[in-house]
């Protein structure tokens, strides 16, 4: 899937041409945020309220990569503002990472959901083809931010970078290198995978799952110095 130069999605069709043609040539956070609202790179824009581009400072040294906006993010237009985002922010702080040093984003920029529970729309993970279609936005964010390190939150983020054989369990908490076949202008110096904060919220032992997340993020904190 995304084991190739992003910007040239492997899975294209008339229905799902990939995001490349909507990515502006002159990159800025404002330009990206505006342009993503027009994206028709895959079908996910149809059922979502808006596109949710990454947020944070341009000078951030750490990119934290989640899966896709959730119900709250879709309504507010900002990443990680719902329950999972609160867990993430607390964990980053407990790991000693300065929030100003973090750019938060997702591999897919529109909320995929199916069905409702009460007023809440239920998250559905994006397909590999949708992740591939959306990759040019992530490539643009990487080019703009040029982070020193990238933290991958959960399996979808991991597969988007390393391919479909990636699993969090095999890799979490260990520094890895950015893969050569995901071509970016200046690749990050290191990558670290960990669990997704929403998995912490679903865990039987939330406290233990939270502490494991913080321990992984502490590895990133040490690396940032
Ligand atoms: N989960 C994610 O992966 N990303 C968000 O922005 C919110 C929840
Ligand atoms: Fe474009 Fe990504 Fe939204 Fe699909 S999910 S429409 S590729 S921004």
């Amino acid at each position: 899937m995304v084991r190739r130069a992003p910007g040239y999605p492997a899975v294209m069709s008339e229905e799902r041409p990939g995001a490349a043609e909507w990515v502006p040539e002159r990159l800025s956070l404002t330009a990206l945020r505006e342009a993503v609202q027009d994206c028709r790179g895959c079908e996910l824009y149809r059922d979502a309220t808006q596109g949710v581009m990454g947020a944070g400072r341009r000078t951030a040294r750490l990119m934290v990569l989640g899966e896709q906006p959730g119900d709250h993010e879709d309504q507010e237009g900002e990443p990680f503002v719902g329950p999972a985002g609160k867990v993430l922010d607390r964990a980053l702080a407990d790991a000693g990472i300065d929030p100003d040093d973090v750019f938060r984003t997702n591999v897919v920029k529109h909320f995929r959901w199916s069905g409702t529970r009460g007023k809440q729309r239920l998250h559905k993970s994006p397909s590999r083809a949708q992740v591939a279609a959306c990759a040019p936005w992530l490539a643009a964010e990487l080019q703009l931010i040029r982070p020193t390190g990238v933290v991958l939150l959960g399996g979808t983020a991991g597969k988007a970078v390393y391919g479909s054989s990636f699993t969090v369990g095999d890799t979490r908490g260990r520094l890895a290198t950015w893969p050569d076949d995901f071509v970016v202008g200046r690749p990050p110096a290191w990558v670290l995978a960990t669990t997704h904060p929403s998995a912490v919220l679903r865990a039987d032992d939330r406290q233990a799952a939270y502490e494991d997340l913080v321990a992984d993020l502490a590895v990133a904190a040490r690396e940032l110095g």
Side-chain angles (χ1 to χ4, degrees):
M1 43 162 307
V2 193
R3 311 210 70 195
R4 34 108 212 117
Y8 304 93
V11 198
M12 291 196 287
S13 64
E14 225 167 280
E15 164 86 337
R16 192 185 296 128
E21 66 185 271
W22 286 274
V23 177
E25 260 172 44
R26 300 191 93 228
L27 296 179
S28 73
L29 285 177
T30 316
L32 287 174
R33 282 184 164 221
E34 278 173 22
V36 77
Q37 305 311 333
D38 296 329
C39 186
R40 303 291 180 262
C42 78
E43 62 277 42
L44 290 183
Y45 72 91
R46 284 199 215 121
D47 293 335
T49 309
Q50 57 191 318
V52 181
M53 199 40 78
R57 297 201 180 176
R58 265 196 71 165
T59 53
R61 290 182 301 156
L62 185 66
M63 178 179 279
V64 173
L65 186 58
E67 181 184 80
Q68 62 166 357
D71 191 39
H72 290 80
E73 290 78 15
D74 172 76
Q75 290 172 53
E76 292 187 34
E78 295 289 332
F80 290 108
V81 291
K86 297 215 164 62
V87 173
L88 173 63
D89 287 347
R90 189 157 63 91
L92 286 165
D94 284 346
I97 296 174
D98 176 359
D100 284 345
D101 214 7
V102 181
F103 185 85
R104 296 166 177 75
T105 193
N106 290 297
V107 292
V108 162
K109 312 305 191 202
H110 279 103
F111 178 34
R112 186 186 197 194
W113 59 282
S114 172
T116 53
R117 190 192 299 124
K119 279 199 206 136
Q120 200 194 355
R121 296 164 297 168
L122 297 175
H123 155 280
K124 186 172 180 197
S125 289
S127 71
R128 285 165 59 177
Q130 290 158 345
V131 171
C134 210
W137 292 114
L138 174 60
E141 290 175 308
L142 283 160
Q143 197 173 320
L144 185 65
I145 306 298
R146 311 224 239 143
T148 304
V150 173
V151 167
L152 304 170
L153 298 176
T156 305
K159 286 175 173 37
V161 172
Y162 289 109
S164 54
S165 60
F166 173 92
T167 62
V168 173
D170 291 344
T171 46
R172 68 177 298 172
R174 286 204 307 265
L175 293 168
T177 52
W178 187 259
D180 292 337
D181 52 6
F182 195 133
V183 179
V184 289
R186 193 191 70 182
W190 49 267
V191 186
L192 185 103
T194 187
T195 192
H196 195 288
S198 68
V200 171
L201 292 170
R202 288 193 308 269
D204 293 332
D205 186 343
R206 279 196 198 190
Q207 188 56 31
Y210 177 76
E211 283 166 16
D212 288 347
L213 171 62
V214 173
D216 290 346
L217 292 175
V219 176
R222 265 200 301 281
E223 216 45 37
L224 289 171

